Amino acid sequence: MAAKLKKGDKVVVIAGKDKGRNGEITRVLPAEGKAVVSGVNVAIRHTKQSAQGQGGRIAKELPIQLSNLQLLDANGKATRVGFRIENGEKIRFAKTTGEAI
């Protein structure tokens, strides 16, 4: 099955503690059905100082379920993703506007 959301897509969170937040997908984990989105689902890790780096509170973005994400269209609204064939190629398009992604 083709991926509806890919690395570099602008998405909005539609469910969970970060509902309504926007971000860009930095990594997709298809086997787990999750993606890492910049600025979303951030956890704080407390680390001790070591020879390699300074200690302190380090923010880390954790994966979020793909089902809790929706693509942002050109108008900045959440949209579903569809597929169609154009010029012999399968392309993704936004269902709200019909534009190719």
Side-chain angles (χ1 to χ4, degrees):
M1 182 178 187
K4 293 191 177 197
L5 297 174
K6 296 183 177 186
K7 181 178 176 177
D9 285 347
K10 303 271 189 228
V11 294
V12 62
V13 179
I14 59 170
K17 67 174 185 156
D18 292 321
K19 183 177 181 177
R21 286 183 136 180
N22 299 343
E24 185 176 327
I25 295 180
T26 56
R27 201 170 84 177
V28 179
L29 308 165
E32 298 172 29
K34 296 184 178 191
V36 178
V37 181
S38 61
V40 176
N41 199 23
V42 178
I44 303 293
R45 173 134 172 94
H46 295 76
T47 58
K48 267 186 153 178
Q49 185 173 358
S50 66
Q52 287 79 26
Q54 191 170 353
R57 300 176 62 197
I58 297 171
K60 182 178 180 183
E61 292 151 351
L62 300 177
I64 187 168
Q65 281 287 337
L66 287 172
S67 63
N68 294 337
L69 301 174
Q70 241 181 354
L71 190 71
L72 285 176
D73 63 3
N75 302 332
K77 292 185 177 181
T79 181
R80 290 179 294 161
V81 178
F83 293 97
R84 66 177 171 223
I85 307 292
E86 279 187 12
N87 303 328
E89 282 187 42
K90 187 176 183 179
I91 62 159
R92 299 184 302 155
F93 72 96
K95 294 254 186 163
T96 55
T97 60
E99 291 181 19
I101 300 168

